Amino acid sequence: MEAELMRIGVSIPDALLNQFDEIIKKRDSSSRSEAIRDALISYITYYEWMEDIKGRRVGTIAVIYDHKKSGLSNAIINVQHHYSHLIKYSVHMYLDTDDCFELIVLDGSGQEITDLAGSIISLKGVKFSKLTTVDPNKKI
């Protein structure tokens, strides 16, 4: 039995859609709809993975944000202070006149690490955030 398909409308900035269309061409995707479905599956899988992070973890959060966005730098600092018991190191780099890159190195409860990552990505003006964790006790 085939799944029912739903039509939706999405507002996307021209530049982002053009970039998406270029990737679709390069990857030989059959359609924009197929590529959007693939992106949604990837997004859902990532957040399901985040919800499954349990026990002690070590990891990083990479963040790119617009430091000119009013109050954003202070909001990021406040979040980091709230979770300071998890943060081992933080590196800050200026990318250009608008954007900053921050790499946060963490060690602690997987649940708290995902809460920290969620608090940062939800801030307006954060352009990119990627959480990576590993179980330090797991044999590789």
Side-chain angles (χ1 to χ4, degrees):
M1 184 170 158
E2 250 183 74
E4 183 180 335
L5 297 178
M6 302 290 293
R7 289 188 184 269
I8 62 169
V10 180
S11 299
I12 300 173
D14 285 343
L16 182 60
L17 186 58
N18 290 338
Q19 188 177 12
F20 188 69
D21 285 341
E22 285 300 314
I23 292 169
I24 291 170
K25 285 180 196 172
K26 287 179 186 175
R27 295 197 63 206
D28 276 337
S29 292
S30 64
S31 69
R32 189 185 278 168
S33 290
E34 180 183 320
I36 290 170
R37 279 191 297 273
D38 290 346
L40 287 171
I41 290 167
S42 178
Y43 184 84
I44 291 166
T45 301
Y46 177 74
Y47 281 92
E48 286 175 346
W49 167 81
M50 281 183 63
E51 288 182 357
D52 197 36
I53 297 173
K54 307 274 190 265
R56 179 175 171 230
R57 293 293 178 127
V58 294
T60 61
I61 302 173
V63 183
I64 296 176
Y65 65 93
D66 179 355
H67 82 94
K68 289 187 175 179
K69 176 82 174 161
S70 180
L72 180 59
S73 294
N74 285 337
I76 290 173
I77 289 168
N78 288 337
V79 169
Q80 289 183 31
H81 277 279
H82 181 75
Y83 292 97
S84 62
H85 60 285
L86 301 173
I87 299 172
K88 301 306 170 194
Y89 306 98
S90 179
V91 177
H92 184 95
M93 183 171 80
Y94 301 96
L95 296 176
D96 54 39
T97 58
D98 294 331
D99 296 324
C100 292
F101 173 80
E102 190 141 353
L103 182 67
I104 307 164
V105 179
L106 307 156
D107 184 355
S109 158
Q111 182 60 54
E112 286 186 294
I113 287 172
T114 58
D115 291 346
L116 166 58
S119 294
I120 289 175
I121 192 61
S122 67
L123 296 171
K124 282 196 183 266
V126 172
K127 296 179 175 183
F128 172 85
S129 180
K130 179 72 174 185
L131 170 64
T132 304
T133 71
V134 295
D135 179 344
N137 299 314
K138 191 172 186 175
K139 300 292 182 211
I140 297 177

